[in-house]
Amino acid sequence: RVVAVIMVGGPTKGTRFRPLSLNVPKPLFPLAGQPMVHHPISACRRIPNLAQIYLIGFHEEREFKLYVSSISNELRIPVRYLREDKPHGSAGGLYSFRDYIMEDSPSHIVLLNCDVCSSFPLPDMLEAHKKYGGMGTLLVNKVSAESANQFGELVADPETNELLHYTEKPETFVSDLINCGVYIFTPNIFSAIEDVLKQKKDRANLRRVSSFEALQSATKALPADFVRLDQDILSPLAGKKELYTYQTLDFWEQIKTPGMSLRCSGLYLSQFRRTSPHLLASGDGIRTATIVGDVYIHPSAKVHPTSKIGPNVSISANARVGAGARLINCIILDDVEIMENAVVIHSIVGWKSSIGKWSRVQGEGDHNAKLGITILGEAVDVEDEVVVVNSIVLPNKTLNVSVQEEIIL
Ligand code: GDD
């Protein structure tokens, strides 16, 4: 049997995701019309003998309650949210719920970060892991040398795929092969975390008896029960025939910013084209809008037949799109109203916002730049004939003049 665990972090984690994380925990922000965490959960369904899926985080329990119960019914696999009272780090969080995870006596634990976008090749990875015979297997990916320092950089044996060397976000370049935040472990991972916890406690005790002040202050930096999977577990175990790598040749991205969520929404829409085409708008009826490329429209949204939509557009529940409107590369959240002849390009439009007639809301489309897309927070009103370019607008603002390259607080 296999148990899957998805690390969803907490409110102090998704800060780069503001202003969108002011309304909804980042793991539940919709990509391609489905909560971010829904995509790894769906991927877990393909794992043979999957017994349970746990989400571990320190968000309020009530924020996940509705989603967890609806997804459990839909997938017919128990999905549970387990809340940490405080952050324990990525490995510490896993360890604190070891009793729950081991209830099903799993032979393997699949561990996933919630903020990565991938095709999650879990069954193939599991097969590879069994062949390697180690304690853990990491999904890895090649990225550009300039971007590698945002990730864990690693060196693997080209013949055996053994993880030989691992450094988390190094200042000087090590390798363009990086850690994707997707793992398969045997239950021995808990002994490895326990060893680290024990070493930390011993060191803390040693410092308590020593009078060396500098060392004492160093113990304050991280609590003794805080264990990071990358620095504390992967780095020391590299080169010990315990950890192996499995390289994905399919898409993979990290979702830290709203700009990246727009890009990843598009990646998941194009995956739907292959895996679940029924979720995409077809636009082949007389009474539907003109659809270009991959588009998701929630069944409750009302889209005028003379509007033109796509590619990479995702429209959430109860949104209304007026006559002659044009939408390209955008996420339109619940209850948004887009009036006649408005244009939205390279943007995310927050819940209950409204965009007036003949208005334009647009970004330049650079998903990595701070102001590369335009983001409207919840309940922003853009009045008629106003142009908003490359800007971030915080919730509850009314824009009656045009703005460019601005952050409106
Ligand atoms: N429950 C819980 N508790 N989850 C946590 C905690 C915690 O205390 N700390 C982090 N997480 C979750 C985050 O929500 C995220 O899903 C995952 O654990 C990793 O978060 P970080 O530890 O902040 O690392 P990162 O996202 O900057 O980088 C990690 O992922 C990259 C791939 O996206 C590292 O593993 C990198 O090496 C890797 O390249």
PDB file of all heavy atoms in Angstrom, residues 83-113:
ATOM      1  N   ARG A  83      -3.553  19.396  10.616  1.00  0.00           N
ATOM      2  CA  ARG A  83      -3.037  20.728  10.918  1.00  0.00           C
ATOM      3  C   ARG A  83      -1.945  20.688  11.989  1.00  0.00           C
ATOM      4  O   ARG A  83      -2.139  20.139  13.073  1.00  0.00           O
ATOM      5  CB  ARG A  83      -4.172  21.628  11.401  1.00  0.00           C
ATOM      6  CG  ARG A  83      -3.711  23.020  11.677  1.00  0.00           C
ATOM      7  CD  ARG A  83      -4.870  23.954  11.948  1.00  0.00           C
ATOM      8  NE  ARG A  83      -4.373  25.322  11.964  1.00  0.00           N
ATOM      9  CZ  ARG A  83      -4.049  25.974  13.082  1.00  0.00           C
ATOM     10  NH1 ARG A  83      -4.218  25.409  14.244  1.00  0.00           N
ATOM     11  NH2 ARG A  83      -3.582  27.217  13.002  1.00  0.00           N
ATOM     12  N   GLU A  84      -0.794  21.305  11.633  1.00  0.00           N
ATOM     13  CA  GLU A  84       0.273  21.470  12.632  1.00  0.00           C
ATOM     14  C   GLU A  84      -0.072  22.685  13.472  1.00  0.00           C
ATOM     15  O   GLU A  84      -0.587  23.672  12.941  1.00  0.00           O
ATOM     16  CB  GLU A  84       1.599  21.787  11.935  1.00  0.00           C
ATOM     17  CG  GLU A  84       2.196  20.688  11.116  1.00  0.00           C
ATOM     18  CD  GLU A  84       3.329  21.256  10.271  1.00  0.00           C
ATOM     19  OE1 GLU A  84       4.445  21.387  10.776  1.00  0.00           O
ATOM     20  OE2 GLU A  84       3.067  21.586   9.101  1.00  0.00           O
ATOM     21  N   ASP A  85       0.250  22.638  14.777  1.00  0.00           N
ATOM     22  CA  ASP A  85      -0.031  23.816  15.613  1.00  0.00           C
ATOM     23  C   ASP A  85       0.914  24.968  15.292  1.00  0.00           C
ATOM     24  O   ASP A  85       0.624  26.131  15.512  1.00  0.00           O
ATOM     25  CB  ASP A  85       0.021  23.446  17.102  1.00  0.00           C
ATOM     26  CG  ASP A  85       1.302  22.697  17.461  1.00  0.00           C
ATOM     27  OD1 ASP A  85       2.073  22.355  16.528  1.00  0.00           O
ATOM     28  OD2 ASP A  85       1.540  22.454  18.649  1.00  0.00           O
ATOM     29  N   LYS A  86       2.095  24.643  14.741  1.00  0.00           N
ATOM     30  CA  LYS A  86       3.071  25.655  14.311  1.00  0.00           C
ATOM     31  C   LYS A  86       3.929  25.016  13.227  1.00  0.00           C
ATOM     32  O   LYS A  86       3.954  23.778  13.120  1.00  0.00           O
ATOM     33  CB  LYS A  86       3.928  26.098  15.504  1.00  0.00           C
ATOM     34  CG  LYS A  86       4.624  24.920  16.152  1.00  0.00           C
ATOM     35  CD  LYS A  86       5.683  25.349  17.124  1.00  0.00           C
ATOM     36  CE  LYS A  86       6.533  24.137  17.445  1.00  0.00           C
ATOM     37  NZ  LYS A  86       7.541  24.174  18.343  1.00  0.00           N
ATOM     38  N   PRO A  87       4.645  25.799  12.407  1.00  0.00           N
ATOM     39  CA  PRO A  87       5.470  25.175  11.364  1.00  0.00           C
ATOM     40  C   PRO A  87       6.600  24.326  11.945  1.00  0.00           C
ATOM     41  O   PRO A  87       7.303  24.776  12.859  1.00  0.00           O
ATOM     42  CB  PRO A  87       6.027  26.356  10.566  1.00  0.00           C
ATOM     43  CG  PRO A  87       5.614  27.586  11.265  1.00  0.00           C
ATOM     44  CD  PRO A  87       4.612  27.262  12.302  1.00  0.00           C
ATOM     45  N   HIS A  88       6.754  23.095  11.460  1.00  0.00           N
ATOM     46  CA  HIS A  88       7.846  22.219  11.898  1.00  0.00           C
ATOM     47  C   HIS A  88       8.877  22.006  10.796  1.00  0.00           C
ATOM     48  O   HIS A  88       9.746  21.149  10.913  1.00  0.00           O
ATOM     49  CB  HIS A  88       7.295  20.847  12.307  1.00  0.00           C
ATOM     50  CG  HIS A  88       6.431  20.882  13.527  1.00  0.00           C
ATOM     51  ND1 HIS A  88       5.086  21.083  13.491  1.00  0.00           N
ATOM     52  CD2 HIS A  88       6.762  20.753  14.849  1.00  0.00           C
ATOM     53  CE1 HIS A  88       4.599  21.070  14.726  1.00  0.00           C
ATOM     54  NE2 HIS A  88       5.598  20.878  15.569  1.00  0.00           N
ATOM     55  N   GLY A  89       8.751  22.735   9.677  1.00  0.00           N
ATOM     56  CA  GLY A  89       9.620  22.498   8.524  1.00  0.00           C
ATOM     57  C   GLY A  89       9.061  21.359   7.688  1.00  0.00           C
ATOM     58  O   GLY A  89       8.184  20.609   8.147  1.00  0.00           O
ATOM     59  N   SER A  90       9.563  21.219   6.439  1.00  0.00           N
ATOM     60  CA  SER A  90       8.956  20.248   5.526  1.00  0.00           C
ATOM     61  C   SER A  90       9.106  18.800   6.023  1.00  0.00           C
ATOM     62  O   SER A  90       8.174  18.007   5.898  1.00  0.00           O
ATOM     63  CB  SER A  90       9.534  20.414   4.118  1.00  0.00           C
ATOM     64  OG  SER A  90      10.922  20.641   4.180  1.00  0.00           O
ATOM     65  N   ALA A  91      10.244  18.448   6.655  1.00  0.00           N
ATOM     66  CA  ALA A  91      10.389  17.084   7.175  1.00  0.00           C
ATOM     67  C   ALA A  91       9.770  16.962   8.563  1.00  0.00           C
ATOM     68  O   ALA A  91       9.159  15.944   8.899  1.00  0.00           O
ATOM     69  CB  ALA A  91      11.862  16.690   7.233  1.00  0.00           C
ATOM     70  N   GLY A  92       9.879  18.018   9.377  1.00  0.00           N
ATOM     71  CA  GLY A  92       9.306  18.011  10.727  1.00  0.00           C
ATOM     72  C   GLY A  92       7.787  17.866  10.677  1.00  0.00           C
ATOM     73  O   GLY A  92       7.188  17.172  11.499  1.00  0.00           O
ATOM     74  N   GLY A  93       7.148  18.530   9.707  1.00  0.00           N
ATOM     75  CA  GLY A  93       5.696  18.441   9.545  1.00  0.00           C
ATOM     76  C   GLY A  93       5.278  17.016   9.221  1.00  0.00           C
ATOM     77  O   GLY A  93       4.316  16.487   9.786  1.00  0.00           O
ATOM     78  N   LEU A  94       6.016  16.386   8.328  1.00  0.00           N
ATOM     79  CA  LEU A  94       5.743  14.992   7.962  1.00  0.00           C
ATOM     80  C   LEU A  94       5.879  14.094   9.196  1.00  0.00           C
ATOM     81  O   LEU A  94       5.016  13.272   9.496  1.00  0.00           O
ATOM     82  CB  LEU A  94       6.750  14.558   6.879  1.00  0.00           C
ATOM     83  CG  LEU A  94       6.643  13.139   6.352  1.00  0.00           C
ATOM     84  CD1 LEU A  94       5.443  13.023   5.421  1.00  0.00           C
ATOM     85  CD2 LEU A  94       7.924  12.748   5.597  1.00  0.00           C
ATOM     86  N   TYR A  95       6.973  14.317   9.940  1.00  0.00           N
ATOM     87  CA  TYR A  95       7.276  13.478  11.108  1.00  0.00           C
ATOM     88  C   TYR A  95       6.200  13.603  12.186  1.00  0.00           C
ATOM     89  O   TYR A  95       5.834  12.613  12.825  1.00  0.00           O
ATOM     90  CB  TYR A  95       8.642  13.871  11.676  1.00  0.00           C
ATOM     91  CG  TYR A  95       9.103  13.013  12.807  1.00  0.00           C
ATOM     92  CD1 TYR A  95       9.658  11.767  12.558  1.00  0.00           C
ATOM     93  CD2 TYR A  95       8.980  13.441  14.135  1.00  0.00           C
ATOM     94  CE1 TYR A  95      10.078  10.962  13.596  1.00  0.00           C
ATOM     95  CE2 TYR A  95       9.400  12.645  15.176  1.00  0.00           C
ATOM     96  CZ  TYR A  95       9.953  11.402  14.912  1.00  0.00           C
ATOM     97  OH  TYR A  95      10.367  10.605  15.936  1.00  0.00           O
ATOM     98  N   SER A  96       5.658  14.825  12.359  1.00  0.00           N
ATOM     99  CA  SER A  96       4.701  15.006  13.454  1.00  0.00           C
ATOM    100  C   SER A  96       3.421  14.195  13.231  1.00  0.00           C
ATOM    101  O   SER A  96       2.687  13.952  14.180  1.00  0.00           O
ATOM    102  CB  SER A  96       4.400  16.484  13.715  1.00  0.00           C
ATOM    103  OG  SER A  96       4.094  17.134  12.537  1.00  0.00           O
ATOM    104  N   PHE A  97       3.150  13.782  12.011  1.00  0.00           N
ATOM    105  CA  PHE A  97       1.953  12.966  11.751  1.00  0.00           C
ATOM    106  C   PHE A  97       2.301  11.535  11.343  1.00  0.00           C
ATOM    107  O   PHE A  97       1.535  10.876  10.651  1.00  0.00           O
ATOM    108  CB  PHE A  97       1.069  13.641  10.707  1.00  0.00           C
ATOM    109  CG  PHE A  97       0.480  14.932  11.212  1.00  0.00           C
ATOM    110  CD1 PHE A  97       0.958  16.149  10.755  1.00  0.00           C
ATOM    111  CD2 PHE A  97      -0.521  14.905  12.162  1.00  0.00           C
ATOM    112  CE1 PHE A  97       0.432  17.340  11.248  1.00  0.00           C
ATOM    113  CE2 PHE A  97      -1.054  16.083  12.662  1.00  0.00           C
ATOM    114  CZ  PHE A  97      -0.579  17.315  12.208  1.00  0.00           C
ATOM    115  N   ARG A  98       3.474  11.041  11.807  1.00  0.00           N
ATOM    116  CA  ARG A  98       3.915   9.702  11.398  1.00  0.00           C
ATOM    117  C   ARG A  98       2.929   8.610  11.808  1.00  0.00           C
ATOM    118  O   ARG A  98       2.759   7.632  11.109  1.00  0.00           O
ATOM    119  CB  ARG A  98       5.327   9.411  11.919  1.00  0.00           C
ATOM    120  CG  ARG A  98       5.429   9.392  13.437  1.00  0.00           C
ATOM    121  CD  ARG A  98       6.865   9.470  13.890  1.00  0.00           C
ATOM    122  NE  ARG A  98       6.994   9.512  15.333  1.00  0.00           N
ATOM    123  CZ  ARG A  98       6.745  10.583  16.081  1.00  0.00           C
ATOM    124  NH1 ARG A  98       6.321  11.698  15.527  1.00  0.00           N
ATOM    125  NH2 ARG A  98       6.910  10.550  17.397  1.00  0.00           N
ATOM    126  N   ASP A  99       2.262   8.807  12.973  1.00  0.00           N
ATOM    127  CA  ASP A  99       1.329   7.763  13.426  1.00  0.00           C
ATOM    128  C   ASP A  99       0.150   7.621  12.471  1.00  0.00           C
ATOM    129  O   ASP A  99      -0.273   6.511  12.161  1.00  0.00           O
ATOM    130  CB  ASP A  99       0.832   8.062  14.845  1.00  0.00           C
ATOM    131  CG  ASP A  99       1.965   7.972  15.859  1.00  0.00           C
ATOM    132  OD1 ASP A  99       3.017   7.402  15.480  1.00  0.00           O
ATOM    133  OD2 ASP A  99       1.807   8.478  16.978  1.00  0.00           O
ATOM    134  N   TYR A 100      -0.382   8.750  11.999  1.00  0.00           N
ATOM    135  CA  TYR A 100      -1.471   8.699  11.006  1.00  0.00           C
ATOM    136  C   TYR A 100      -0.989   8.026   9.720  1.00  0.00           C
ATOM    137  O   TYR A 100      -1.656   7.173   9.164  1.00  0.00           O
ATOM    138  CB  TYR A 100      -1.933  10.117  10.635  1.00  0.00           C
ATOM    139  CG  TYR A 100      -2.742  10.805  11.685  1.00  0.00           C
ATOM    140  CD1 TYR A 100      -2.129  11.546  12.684  1.00  0.00           C
ATOM    141  CD2 TYR A 100      -4.130  10.735  11.666  1.00  0.00           C
ATOM    142  CE1 TYR A 100      -2.878  12.208  13.652  1.00  0.00           C
ATOM    143  CE2 TYR A 100      -4.889  11.379  12.617  1.00  0.00           C
ATOM    144  CZ  TYR A 100      -4.252  12.118  13.608  1.00  0.00           C
ATOM    145  OH  TYR A 100      -4.994  12.761  14.552  1.00  0.00           O
ATOM    146  N   ILE A 101       0.185   8.463   9.267  1.00  0.00           N
ATOM    147  CA  ILE A 101       0.689   7.983   7.974  1.00  0.00           C
ATOM    148  C   ILE A 101       0.951   6.481   8.025  1.00  0.00           C
ATOM    149  O   ILE A 101       0.673   5.754   7.071  1.00  0.00           O
ATOM    150  CB  ILE A 101       1.961   8.769   7.579  1.00  0.00           C
ATOM    151  CG1 ILE A 101       1.596  10.250   7.382  1.00  0.00           C
ATOM    152  CG2 ILE A 101       2.616   8.201   6.322  1.00  0.00           C
ATOM    153  CD1 ILE A 101       2.770  11.189   7.311  1.00  0.00           C
ATOM    154  N   MET A 102       1.434   5.991   9.187  1.00  0.00           N
ATOM    155  CA  MET A 102       1.788   4.572   9.298  1.00  0.00           C
ATOM    156  C   MET A 102       0.594   3.673   9.620  1.00  0.00           C
ATOM    157  O   MET A 102       0.720   2.452   9.580  1.00  0.00           O
ATOM    158  CB  MET A 102       2.913   4.383  10.322  1.00  0.00           C
ATOM    159  CG  MET A 102       4.270   4.938   9.885  1.00  0.00           C
ATOM    160  SD  MET A 102       4.754   4.462   8.208  1.00  0.00           S
ATOM    161  CE  MET A 102       4.974   2.689   8.432  1.00  0.00           C
ATOM    162  N   GLU A 103      -0.582   4.302   9.917  1.00  0.00           N
ATOM    163  CA  GLU A 103      -1.791   3.513  10.219  1.00  0.00           C
ATOM    164  C   GLU A 103      -2.094   2.452   9.156  1.00  0.00           C
ATOM    165  O   GLU A 103      -2.525   1.352   9.465  1.00  0.00           O
ATOM    166  CB  GLU A 103      -3.008   4.443  10.297  1.00  0.00           C
ATOM    167  CG  GLU A 103      -3.513   4.684  11.685  1.00  0.00           C
ATOM    168  CD  GLU A 103      -4.585   5.766  11.697  1.00  0.00           C
ATOM    169  OE1 GLU A 103      -5.273   5.961  10.666  1.00  0.00           O
ATOM    170  OE2 GLU A 103      -4.709   6.418  12.750  1.00  0.00           O
ATOM    171  N   ASP A 104      -1.873   2.834   7.872  1.00  0.00           N
ATOM    172  CA  ASP A 104      -2.178   1.911   6.774  1.00  0.00           C
ATOM    173  C   ASP A 104      -1.004   0.978   6.462  1.00  0.00           C
ATOM    174  O   ASP A 104      -1.028   0.315   5.428  1.00  0.00           O
ATOM    175  CB  ASP A 104      -2.536   2.709   5.517  1.00  0.00           C
ATOM    176  CG  ASP A 104      -3.872   3.409   5.667  1.00  0.00           C
ATOM    177  OD1 ASP A 104      -4.888   2.707   5.694  1.00  0.00           O
ATOM    178  OD2 ASP A 104      -3.889   4.656   5.784  1.00  0.00           O
ATOM    179  N   SER A 105       0.018   0.955   7.294  1.00  0.00           N
ATOM    180  CA  SER A 105       1.257   0.192   7.073  1.00  0.00           C
ATOM    181  C   SER A 105       1.744   0.305   5.628  1.00  0.00           C
ATOM    182  O   SER A 105       1.897  -0.710   4.943  1.00  0.00           O
ATOM    183  CB  SER A 105       1.066  -1.296   7.398  1.00  0.00           C
ATOM    184  OG  SER A 105       0.370  -1.450   8.572  1.00  0.00           O
ATOM    185  N   PRO A 106       1.980   1.531   5.151  1.00  0.00           N
ATOM    186  CA  PRO A 106       2.386   1.668   3.750  1.00  0.00           C
ATOM    187  C   PRO A 106       3.803   1.146   3.509  1.00  0.00           C
ATOM    188  O   PRO A 106       4.655   1.224   4.393  1.00  0.00           O
ATOM    189  CB  PRO A 106       2.344   3.187   3.518  1.00  0.00           C
ATOM    190  CG  PRO A 106       2.598   3.774   4.870  1.00  0.00           C
ATOM    191  CD  PRO A 106       1.973   2.825   5.856  1.00  0.00           C
ATOM    192  N   SER A 107       4.013   0.589   2.304  1.00  0.00           N
ATOM    193  CA  SER A 107       5.374   0.220   1.923  1.00  0.00           C
ATOM    194  C   SER A 107       6.099   1.458   1.380  1.00  0.00           C
ATOM    195  O   SER A 107       7.323   1.553   1.431  1.00  0.00           O
ATOM    196  CB  SER A 107       5.351  -0.866   0.848  1.00  0.00           C
ATOM    197  OG  SER A 107       4.591  -0.409  -0.263  1.00  0.00           O
ATOM    198  N   HIS A 108       5.323   2.416   0.849  1.00  0.00           N
ATOM    199  CA  HIS A 108       5.905   3.634   0.276  1.00  0.00           C
ATOM    200  C   HIS A 108       5.078   4.862   0.637  1.00  0.00           C
ATOM    201  O   HIS A 108       3.861   4.772   0.747  1.00  0.00           O
ATOM    202  CB  HIS A 108       5.997   3.520  -1.241  1.00  0.00           C
ATOM    203  CG  HIS A 108       6.940   2.446  -1.680  1.00  0.00           C
ATOM    204  ND1 HIS A 108       6.529   1.164  -1.949  1.00  0.00           N
ATOM    205  CD2 HIS A 108       8.298   2.467  -1.845  1.00  0.00           C
ATOM    206  CE1 HIS A 108       7.576   0.435  -2.279  1.00  0.00           C
ATOM    207  NE2 HIS A 108       8.669   1.193  -2.213  1.00  0.00           N
ATOM    208  N   ILE A 109       5.781   5.998   0.780  1.00  0.00           N
ATOM    209  CA  ILE A 109       5.126   7.277   1.037  1.00  0.00           C
ATOM    210  C   ILE A 109       5.496   8.213  -0.117  1.00  0.00           C
ATOM    211  O   ILE A 109       6.679   8.395  -0.413  1.00  0.00           O
ATOM    212  CB  ILE A 109       5.611   7.871   2.375  1.00  0.00           C
ATOM    213  CG1 ILE A 109       5.224   6.920   3.518  1.00  0.00           C
ATOM    214  CG2 ILE A 109       5.022   9.260   2.606  1.00  0.00           C
ATOM    215  CD1 ILE A 109       6.099   7.049   4.734  1.00  0.00           C
ATOM    216  N   VAL A 110       4.477   8.739  -0.770  1.00  0.00           N
ATOM    217  CA  VAL A 110       4.716   9.708  -1.841  1.00  0.00           C
ATOM    218  C   VAL A 110       4.565  11.086  -1.213  1.00  0.00           C
ATOM    219  O   VAL A 110       3.542  11.375  -0.596  1.00  0.00           O
ATOM    220  CB  VAL A 110       3.688   9.523  -2.977  1.00  0.00           C
ATOM    221  CG1 VAL A 110       3.840  10.591  -4.029  1.00  0.00           C
ATOM    222  CG2 VAL A 110       3.829   8.143  -3.597  1.00  0.00           C
ATOM    223  N   LEU A 111       5.588  11.917  -1.325  1.00  0.00           N
ATOM    224  CA  LEU A 111       5.566  13.237  -0.694  1.00  0.00           C
ATOM    225  C   LEU A 111       5.668  14.311  -1.767  1.00  0.00           C
ATOM    226  O   LEU A 111       6.558  14.265  -2.629  1.00  0.00           O
ATOM    227  CB  LEU A 111       6.744  13.345   0.287  1.00  0.00           C
ATOM    228  CG  LEU A 111       6.856  14.662   1.048  1.00  0.00           C
ATOM    229  CD1 LEU A 111       5.721  14.799   2.060  1.00  0.00           C
ATOM    230  CD2 LEU A 111       8.202  14.747   1.769  1.00  0.00           C
ATOM    231  N   LEU A 112       4.735  15.282  -1.719  1.00  0.00           N
ATOM    232  CA  LEU A 112       4.690  16.294  -2.780  1.00  0.00           C
ATOM    233  C   LEU A 112       4.613  17.698  -2.183  1.00  0.00           C
ATOM    234  O   LEU A 112       3.857  17.921  -1.233  1.00  0.00           O
ATOM    235  CB  LEU A 112       3.435  16.095  -3.636  1.00  0.00           C
ATOM    236  CG  LEU A 112       3.173  14.713  -4.223  1.00  0.00           C
ATOM    237  CD1 LEU A 112       1.709  14.542  -4.548  1.00  0.00           C
ATOM    238  CD2 LEU A 112       4.002  14.536  -5.465  1.00  0.00           C
ATOM    239  N   ASN A 113       5.340  18.654  -2.742  1.00  0.00           N
ATOM    240  CA  ASN A 113       5.112  20.061  -2.417  1.00  0.00           C
ATOM    241  C   ASN A 113       3.850  20.489  -3.154  1.00  0.00           C
ATOM    242  O   ASN A 113       3.634  20.090  -4.294  1.00  0.00           O
ATOM    243  CB  ASN A 113       6.263  20.933  -2.942  1.00  0.00           C
ATOM    244  CG  ASN A 113       7.544  20.726  -2.160  1.00  0.00           C
ATOM    245  OD1 ASN A 113       7.577  19.941  -1.224  1.00  0.00           O
ATOM    246  ND2 ASN A 113       8.585  21.436  -2.564  1.00  0.00           N
TER     247      ASN A 113
END
